[in-house]
Amino acid sequence: MDDRTVLKNTGLRGITVASTKISDVQGTKGKLIYRGYLVQDLAENTSFEEVIHLLLHERLPTSGELSALKDKLAGYRALPAAVIDALKTMPHTALPMDILQSGVSLLAHHDPDIRTVSRDASVEMGLRLIARFPTMLAAWERIRNGKDPIDPDPGLDQAANYLYMRTGEKPDTETARSFDIALVLHAEHSFNASTFSARQVASTRAHMYAAVSAAVGSLSGDLHGGANVRVMEMLLNIGDPDNVEAFVNRILDEGKLIMGLGHAVYKTDDPRAGIISEMSRKIGERIGETKWYEMSKLLEKKGKAAFKDRKGTDIFVNVDFYSASFYYGLGIPVDLFSPIFAISRVAGWAAHVIEEQYAEAAPKPMLYRPESEYVGEYCGPDECSFVAMDER
Amino acid sequence: MDDRTVLKNTGLRGITVASTKISDVQGTKGKLIYRGYLVQDLAENTSFEEVIHLLLHERLPTSGELSALKDKLAGYRALPAAVIDALKTMPHTALPMDILQSGVSLLAHHDPDIRTVSRDASVEMGLRLIARFPTMLAAWERIRNGKDPIDPDPGLDQAANYLYMRTGEKPDTETARSFDIALVLHAEHSFNASTFSARQVASTRAHMYAAVSAAVGSLSGDLHGGANVRVMEMLLNIGDPDNVEAFVNRILDEGKLIMGLGHAVYKTDDPRAGIISEMSRKIGERIGETKWYEMSKLLEKKGKAAFKDRKGTDIFVNVDFYSASFYYGLGIPVDLFSPIFAISRVAGWAAHVIEEQYAEAAPKPMLYRPESEYVGEYCGPDECSFVAMDER
């Protein structure tokens, strides 16, 4: 079968495995579309809560619907006491993505709908997870620093609440809104690795929590959610804008990649990158430390030029490139950058799990059960004869 | 692109996505081969520990290697005290697969190798998980029944230890060996859904625990690990061998399937089914309750005949068909059947994660990142104009 040659060990790259109504990534045009709307338009005009409604309820909310959704999220936001107790048993040295993965499956034990198989129950489970990701992450950051978690404030939305629960100080409007925009921009990106994991687990008819826990595991990988961490580590390593040019030349001499430049899908600048670049600039100005933004800007310019010069082709910034300096400007510890990604992307995961479980149109999704080609041991044309222990 | 039509929404059925040296499933011949050896030969001649060595170290152990492996597993078997404490915070009503998934990621926090990226570290993490799955499951069963967990006995192997830690009574040799064979038979089955989940998560360079946690989530689905549960529920529902014939006719009249008959891959009897059938018969005789075995045997006979009669094609028993009555005969609660599957399959998952992370031969595995086709909302030829809230 020809497909064997085409597909084997290529990570399904370029292969369309399913249809979806959730988002469209047009790599050559540099467009990212959530249920019909350009992500730029959403970033400019909507809050993360509106995007949650769009992704899970399939359309932008009316004012009444938005208000009802905000009330529901506020009601779901606090963690069960037993989950906070469990978080307190965890070693402070644990990897934050592992904490988040544990937390998701701990929350499953307390969900009243966990045994209910219906679209409505799945939506509620998704909303509970979306509501609680920021609470859990903020609680963990405080617990590992020896502090008590701070209860969510029902008057604040997802973005402002997270910043508030980290520190106990309510963020100013502009800071809160910029983080809100970051959540809008990271919420959804079709069949990326973690979303594919979530859908794959959901295809066995596992519940929302099992699927989202798998997605968190997938996002924890260096090649996926770890990318913004590695951008920041690179910036910290460069240390000063004066070192950028030498750094670029050294990396390219060594045949390596500049973190945050290049993307599997986009063949132009990532549509989210320009927006986050501006947010990075502004947060730098607000906190009086513009170095990381400036270094990023210079690195983009020098990196693109050097790449073009050496390879003869263009390379483009991706979403991780400026989100690193933006999160750093917000004061978020570098090892929490991937979990920060997760508190937004969980909205996309939930939408995909619901679509995988309850897509109404034919053809419905099927259990993902691919084949592999055995290239291992054989003895002659077929299996080996068993070898007794004293003859091994 | 033609592939779109071929692949979309077909769950990658029949599509070879990767090469593997771990196992071969020859569906038409009814052969299952672990690294060159027929599973029947392994079931007859080896212990689960030998199979663990075969899967993770790529060959059957010498006597000295087996002894070293057994010592290592015995050393790893006890749970960290903090994990037992965390288990005690969990509601007794939680779904056992959710407990297992939480437990895997809780164990990650305590693994000394969690930040180490090397094949050796990955093997050790795999062995720790294999060693601790039975401990965790036995501890949970006792905790939810209000009892204290029982420490593992270093003198017992994986199979006997699990049965011992459930009840505090050491199993007789024949019972322990039959459970040991069940572990051998369920250890590995190429790219089934949970293994594919584990590999997919590992392809992002996530660690062993993140990948295995995802696999547990995948196995929790009704279409995967839930199958042996549904076989047992069917047997309990039939209630008596006298009701089998009427049951078969009713199910087929309703156009439904008989649980445990039919398999995605095998086009003949599952090579494991006959072995487990014998084990089911013997455990029934040992405990003096042969009803469930007899009912299964009759259901196989009547079900196959009725299927052939109505559809004109043959249908075959799969591994879940007789493992249900076997586990039931061992006294294991029905809702623990999927976790029991996991304490064996974790060996296969670990081997696949290591292969995904450290395959030496080209072509190396790549991050799984498929594409999807957007079939959702559009407004004219492209994206929709944003609609302000008061115009929605």
Side-chain angles (χ1 to χ4, degrees):
Chain A
M1 177 173 189
D2 274 349
D3 283 332
R4 292 211 167 205
T5 325
V6 177
L7 296 178
K8 213 177 59 175
N9 298 317
T10 57
L12 298 172
R13 201 74 77 259
I15 304 299
T16 302
V17 298
S19 50
T20 179
K21 295 185 173 181
I22 301 173
S23 70
D24 191 17
V25 182
Q26 300 181 12
T28 46
K29 294 185 186 170
K31 287 186 181 178
L32 169 58
I33 289 161
Y34 298 176
R35 295 203 186 271
Y37 298 103
L38 275 180
V39 74
Q40 295 96 315
D41 286 347
L42 296 171
E44 191 177 334
N45 297 293
T46 69
S47 65
F48 183 47
E49 281 75 6
E50 283 177 82
V51 167
I52 293 168
H53 195 284
L54 178 65
L55 292 173
L56 271 70
H57 295 298
E58 306 183 16
R59 57 183 177 72
L60 288 169
T62 63
S63 153
E65 287 165 342
L66 180 61
S67 163
L69 177 65
K70 285 185 176 186
D71 287 348
K72 183 173 273 187
L73 291 169
Y76 286 160
R77 205 166 274 141
L79 299 175
V83 171
I84 294 189
D85 289 345
L87 287 173
K88 288 180 178 171
T89 70
M90 300 177 191
H92 294 177
T93 53
L95 293 165
M97 287 298 281
D98 291 349
I99 297 289
L100 206 56
Q101 196 179 26
S102 302
V104 171
S105 80
L106 290 172
L107 286 173
H109 311 156
H110 300 274
D111 196 296
D113 288 321
I114 200 71
R115 288 176 162 80
T116 311
V117 178
S118 78
R119 192 182 192 288
D120 286 350
S122 203
V123 169
E124 291 309 299
M125 290 192 269
L127 291 174
R128 288 188 194 105
L129 277 167
I130 294 165
R132 287 170 179 164
F133 261 49
T135 321
M136 194 147 59
L137 184 58
W140 175 248
E141 187 182 356
R142 293 185 66 85
I143 288 169
R144 76 172 183 181
N145 291 330
K147 297 176 188 165
D148 276 327
I150 292 172
D151 290 336
D153 180 333
L156 298 177
D157 64 13
Q158 291 288 113
N161 240 315
Y162 171 67
L163 299 174
Y164 163 69
M165 290 185 289
R166 283 189 65 228
T167 61
E169 284 173 39
K170 292 188 186 176
D172 65 80
T173 310
E174 196 182 349
T175 302
R177 173 61 184 148
S178 69
F179 186 57
D180 187 44
I181 292 172
L183 297 182
V184 168
L185 292 173
H186 286 86
E188 167 53 21
H189 207 263
S190 81
F191 274 48
N192 58 88
S194 55
T195 302
F196 184 46
S197 295
R199 289 192 73 124
Q200 211 246 315
V201 169
S203 81
T204 71
R205 299 196 190 154
H207 57 53
M208 174 66 71
Y209 288 84
V212 169
S213 178
V216 172
S218 184
L219 190 70
S220 75
D222 266 1
L223 294 183
H224 189 12
N228 56 14
V229 175
R230 295 206 287 167
V231 169
M232 196 64 225
E233 287 170 348
M234 173 185 69
L235 296 175
L236 291 165
N237 184 35
I238 296 172
D240 193 277
D242 288 347
N243 302 331
V244 165
E245 187 146 13
F247 173 82
V248 167
N249 287 327
R250 181 168 61 77
I251 289 292
L252 294 180
D253 285 349
E254 291 172 1
K256 292 181 184 166
L257 299 171
I258 297 169
M259 292 308 306
L261 292 187
H263 192 280
V265 179
Y266 292 108
K267 303 302 167 208
T268 177
D269 281 342
D270 186 315
R272 301 163 294 181
I275 301 172
I276 300 191
S277 163
E278 268 306 285
M279 283 158 38
S280 168
R281 184 179 66 74
K282 285 186 186 163
I283 194 87
E285 287 170 0
R286 218 143 58 236
I287 63 169
E289 171 58 283
T290 57
K291 182 168 86 168
W292 307 109
Y293 166 75
E294 284 163 16
M295 200 187 299
S296 302
K297 203 77 198 165
L298 193 62
L299 184 58
E300 178 188 352
K301 188 179 161 196
K302 298 281 183 193
K304 281 179 165 177
F307 195 89
K308 177 84 175 178
D309 191 42
R310 295 191 185 208
K311 313 266 181 182
T313 55
D314 290 318
I315 195 163
F316 301 100
V317 284
N318 61 42
V319 69
D320 301 308
F321 191 79
Y322 284 103
S323 58
S325 52
F326 171 66
Y327 294 145
Y328 199 72
L330 282 177
I332 294 168
V334 177
D335 74 342
L336 300 187
F337 285 11
S338 302
I340 289 284
F341 192 148
I343 70 178
S344 165
R345 183 58 55 86
V346 62
W349 294 333
H352 279 279
V353 170
I354 294 162
E355 186 174 78
E356 184 73 33
Q357 294 170 326
Y358 298 103
E360 279 161 18
K364 289 194 176 196
M366 281 174 72
L367 172 74
Y368 284 103
R369 207 294 180 200
E371 309 229 342
S372 54
E373 185 191 12
Y374 183 66
V375 295
E377 195 74 19
Y378 260 129
C379 300
D382 217 327
E383 69 271 5
C384 306
S385 302
F386 185 74
V387 183
M389 190 173 290
D390 52 10
E391 290 164 19
R392 286 173 198 161
Chain B
M1 176 174 188
D2 274 353
D3 282 333
R4 291 211 168 206
T5 325
V6 178
L7 296 178
K8 213 176 62 175
N9 299 318
T10 58
L12 299 171
R13 202 71 79 261
I15 304 298
T16 302
V17 298
S19 50
T20 179
K21 294 184 172 179
I22 300 173
S23 70
D24 191 17
V25 181
Q26 300 181 10
T28 46
K29 293 184 186 170
K31 286 185 181 180
L32 168 59
I33 289 160
Y34 297 177
R35 295 203 187 271
Y37 298 103
L38 275 179
V39 74
Q40 294 96 315
D41 287 348
L42 296 170
E44 191 178 336
N45 297 292
T46 69
S47 64
F48 183 48
E49 281 75 6
E50 283 178 81
V51 168
I52 294 168
H53 195 284
L54 178 65
L55 292 173
L56 271 70
H57 295 298
E58 306 184 13
R59 55 183 178 74
L60 288 168
T62 63
S63 152
E65 288 166 341
L66 180 60
S67 163
L69 178 64
K70 285 185 176 187
D71 287 350
K72 183 172 274 187
L73 291 169
Y76 286 162
R77 205 165 275 141
L79 299 176
V83 172
I84 293 189
D85 289 345
L87 287 173
K88 288 179 178 172
T89 70
M90 299 177 191
H92 294 176
T93 52
L95 292 165
M97 287 299 282
D98 290 350
I99 297 289
L100 206 56
Q101 195 178 27
S102 302
V104 171
S105 81
L106 290 172
L107 286 172
H109 311 156
H110 301 274
D111 196 297
D113 289 321
I114 200 72
R115 288 177 161 80
T116 311
V117 179
S118 77
R119 191 181 194 288
D120 287 350
S122 204
V123 169
E124 292 308 299
M125 289 192 269
L127 291 174
R128 288 188 193 106
L129 277 168
I130 293 166
R132 287 168 179 164
F133 261 51
T135 321
M136 194 147 60
L137 184 57
W140 175 249
E141 188 182 355
R142 292 185 67 84
I143 288 169
R144 76 173 183 179
N145 291 329
K147 297 176 187 165
D148 276 327
I150 293 171
D151 289 335
D153 180 330
L156 299 177
D157 63 14
Q158 291 287 113
N161 240 314
Y162 170 67
L163 299 175
Y164 164 69
M165 291 185 291
R166 284 189 65 228
T167 61
E169 284 175 38
K170 291 187 186 176
D172 64 81
T173 311
E174 196 182 348
T175 302
R177 174 61 184 147
S178 69
F179 187 58
D180 188 43
I181 292 173
L183 297 182
V184 168
L185 293 173
H186 285 87
E188 166 55 18
H189 207 262
S190 82
F191 275 47
N192 58 88
S194 56
T195 302
F196 184 47
S197 296
R199 290 192 73 124
Q200 211 247 315
V201 169
S203 81
T204 70
R205 297 194 191 156
H207 57 54
M208 175 65 72
Y209 289 84
V212 169
S213 178
V216 173
S218 184
L219 190 69
S220 75
D222 265 0
L223 294 182
H224 190 12
N228 55 14
V229 176
R230 295 206 287 167
V231 170
M232 196 64 225
E233 287 170 348
M234 172 184 69
L235 295 175
L236 291 166
N237 183 35
I238 297 173
D240 191 278
D242 287 348
N243 303 331
V244 165
E245 187 146 11
F247 173 81
V248 167
N249 287 327
R250 181 168 60 78
I251 290 292
L252 295 182
D253 285 347
E254 291 171 0
K256 292 183 184 164
L257 298 171
I258 297 169
M259 292 308 305
L261 292 187
H263 192 281
V265 179
Y266 293 109
K267 303 301 166 209
T268 176
D269 280 342
D270 185 316
R272 302 163 293 181
I275 301 172
I276 300 189
S277 162
E278 268 306 283
M279 284 159 37
S280 168
R281 184 178 65 77
K282 285 184 187 164
I283 194 86
E285 288 169 2
R286 220 144 56 237
I287 62 169
E289 172 58 282
T290 56
K291 183 169 84 169
W292 307 109
Y293 165 74
E294 284 163 17
M295 201 188 300
S296 302
K297 204 75 197 169
L298 192 62
L299 184 59
E300 178 188 352
K301 189 179 159 196
K302 298 281 183 194
K304 281 179 165 179
F307 195 88
K308 177 82 175 180
D309 190 43
R310 296 189 185 209
K311 313 266 181 182
T313 56
D314 289 318
I315 195 162
F316 302 100
V317 285
N318 62 42
V319 71
D320 301 307
F321 190 78
Y322 285 102
S323 58
S325 52
F326 171 65
Y327 294 146
Y328 199 72
L330 282 176
I332 294 168
V334 177
D335 74 341
L336 300 186
F337 285 10
S338 303
I340 289 285
F341 191 149
I343 70 180
S344 165
R345 183 57 56 83
V346 62
W349 293 334
H352 278 279
V353 170
I354 294 162
E355 186 175 79
E356 184 73 33
Q357 293 170 324
Y358 298 104
E360 280 162 16
K364 290 195 177 197
M366 281 174 72
L367 172 74
Y368 284 103
R369 207 296 180 200
E371 308 227 342
S372 53
E373 185 193 10
Y374 183 67
V375 295
E377 196 73 19
Y378 260 129
C379 300
D382 218 329
E383 68 270 4
C384 307
S385 301
F386 186 75
V387 183
M389 190 172 291
D390 52 11
E391 290 163 19
R392 287 173 199 162

